């Protein structure tokens, strides 16, 4: 109906990859008027055919016909190019009052610089990276960490709520991306120490599946013990849906923030080096849960299946 909030907001979604596709699909399902763009034109066309919406010929046209623009792209450098670079970009059609929601796992300092450029054009950029992976992207139950102007966040909230079950305000623009990177750092530390504990336990004679159950009933419980060890490591599936390369990027961002704030991070640096070693061994496209295989090779032992 015409009085629905979704009918009043036109959304442009840039980047319909592994995460962007299901996120944009949730936006479409919520009833927003949706335009999509992707570096691979055929992917944008396939989205329109399978899900709906439209795929404008240019980024300029997408910007001209959008009230809220979402970017879900691999790096801050690509986001910068999409917004300001080349012969065709978002800034060419950006209208005053438009809200750009930068949902990539980007570098906070770069995002803050982009926000200043957007503000100079009379629009507003907020950042809203996500946690939850492809499964929760498909169901619209992502956790979204949002930084930026409160009024802009409120205006974008209907769009954000279509993609996430929890929208967590983190502070000024760039704070969402900082929080996301630091969250993934904590998650990685829990994973790596947990795998080492399972290897110690198995060598002692413990069943790693039983040990995982004990961890989940005791103080060693974390996201990896609950949702990764049995599902992707002990099963040997290694298909959680988040790549080693993306995790390495997030940890690099977290450590960069550490350097910028002059914070000593010896354990964090070790976690990053282990991930980089796993990335070198198994490739950037390997699932991040294959970090366990690095620990197994160091131990000369493979964790038993379930």
């Amino acid at each position: 109906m015409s009085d629905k909030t979704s009918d009043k907001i036109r959304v442009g979604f840039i980047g319909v990859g592994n995460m962007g596709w299901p996120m944009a699909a949730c936006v479409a399902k919520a009833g927003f008027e949706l335009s999509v763009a992707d570096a691979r034109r055929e992917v944008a066309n396939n989205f329109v055919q399978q899900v709906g919406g439209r795929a404008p010929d240019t980024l300029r046209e997408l910007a001209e016909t959008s009230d809220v623009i979402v970017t879900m792209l691999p790096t801050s450098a690509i986001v910068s190019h999409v917004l300001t670079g080349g012969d065709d970009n978002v800034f060419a059609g950006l209208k005053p009052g438009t809200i750009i929601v930068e949902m990539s796992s980007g570098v906070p300092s770069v995002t803050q610089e982009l926000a200043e450029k957007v503000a100079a054009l009379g629009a507003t950029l907020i950042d809203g990276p996500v946690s939850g992976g492809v499964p929760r992207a498909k169901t619209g139950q992502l956790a979204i960490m949002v930084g930026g102007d409160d009024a802009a966040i409120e205006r974008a909230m209907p769009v954000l709520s279509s993609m996430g079950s929890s929208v967590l305000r983190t502070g000024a623009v760039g704070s969402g991306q900082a929080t996301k990177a630091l969250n993934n750092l904590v998650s990685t530390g829990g994973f790596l120490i947990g795998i080492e504990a399972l290897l110690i336990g198995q060598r002692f004679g413990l069943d790693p599946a039983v040990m995982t159950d004990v961890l989940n009933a005791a103080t060693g419980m974390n996201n990896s013990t609950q949702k990764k060890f049995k599902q992707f490591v002990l099963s040997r599936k290694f298909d959680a849906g988040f790549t080693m390369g993306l995790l390495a990027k997030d940890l690099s961002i977290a450590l960069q923030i550490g350097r910028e704030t002059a914070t000593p991070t010896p354990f964090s640096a070790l976690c990053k080096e282990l991930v980089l070693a796993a990335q070198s061994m198994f490739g950037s496209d390997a699932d991040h849960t294959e970090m366990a295989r690095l620990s197994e090779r160091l131990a000369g032992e493979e964790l038993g299946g379930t």
Side-chain angles (χ1 to χ4, degrees):
M1 294 178 63
S2 60
D3 61 347
K4 282 170 55 181
T5 302
S6 58
D7 290 333
K8 297 177 183 178
I9 302 176
R10 299 171 298 172
V11 180
F13 202 108
I14 304 173
V16 282
N18 289 340
M19 284 291 290
W21 181 297
M23 290 168 64
C26 286
V27 173
K29 184 178 180 180
F32 294 98
E33 182 181 318
L34 180 66
S35 300
V36 297
D38 195 274
R40 303 155 298 174
R41 177 71 196 194
E42 67 276 11
V43 173
N45 290 339
N46 287 341
F47 182 93
V48 172
Q49 292 172 3
Q50 296 180 37
V51 179
R54 55 190 289 271
D57 292 330
T58 64
L59 291 172
R60 176 174 183 162
E61 182 184 348
L62 180 145
E64 289 173 340
T65 56
S66 299
D67 305 306
V68 174
I69 299 171
V70 175
T71 51
M72 188 64 181
L73 299 164
T75 67
S76 287
I78 295 174
V79 173
S80 297
H81 182 75
V82 163
L83 293 184
T84 69
D87 297 328
D88 175 41
N89 57 59
V90 168
F91 277 18
L94 189 65
K95 309 186 310 295
T98 300
I99 299 170
I100 298 176
V101 188
E102 212 309 66
M103 303 192 78
S104 317
S105 294
V107 180
S109 57
V110 175
T111 299
Q112 290 167 344
E113 292 172 2
L114 288 172
E116 293 178 1
K117 294 178 180 178
V118 170
L121 297 175
T124 306
L125 184 147
I126 61 177
D127 68 311
V130 303
S131 180
V134 173
R136 285 171 62 184
K138 290 179 178 178
T139 60
Q141 294 178 308
L142 292 167
I144 305 176
M145 292 150 267
V146 187
D149 178 76
D150 285 338
I153 293 172
E154 280 301 319
R155 287 178 54 209
M157 191 61 73
V159 179
L160 295 170
S161 296
S162 72
M163 296 179 279
S165 56
S166 58
V167 180
L168 309 165
R169 300 195 188 199
T170 53
V173 65
S175 63
Q177 292 174 334
T179 304
K180 165 69 184 293
L182 295 170
N183 172 77
N184 281 5
L185 172 63
V186 173
S187 178
T188 302
F191 183 97
L192 290 169
I193 199 69
I195 290 297
E196 289 189 4
L198 292 189
L199 285 165
I200 295 169
Q202 180 168 289
R203 283 190 164 183
F204 181 75
L206 300 175
D207 182 335
V210 173
M211 189 174 175
T212 298
D213 290 337
V214 173
L215 290 171
N216 285 329
T219 57
M221 176 182 63
N222 60 46
N223 178 264
S224 294
T225 65
Q226 290 180 312
K227 300 181 179 180
K228 296 180 183 178
F229 286 176
K230 282 189 175 183
Q231 296 87 334
F232 305 115
V233 178
L234 300 184
S235 70
R236 314 311 289 174
K237 291 181 179 178
F238 299 115
D239 59 354
F242 186 64
T243 68
M244 197 87 70
L246 289 175
L247 179 62
K249 182 194 74 170
D250 285 350
L251 265 59
S252 293
I253 292 170
L255 269 291
Q256 179 177 331
I257 297 169
R259 290 191 299 273
E260 291 173 352
T261 56
T263 306
T265 56
F267 180 59
S268 299
L270 177 58
C271 289
K272 177 190 171 186
E273 289 304 316
L274 288 169
V275 171
L276 291 177
Q279 180 183 19
S280 177
M281 188 173 292
F282 305 115
S284 296
D285 292 332
D287 194 82
H288 78 285
T289 55
E290 291 200 57
M291 291 186 293
R293 295 178 60 204
L294 173 65
S295 297
E296 289 174 339
R297 289 197 182 184
L298 291 172
E301 181 157 347
E302 184 177 293
L303 288 167
T306 55

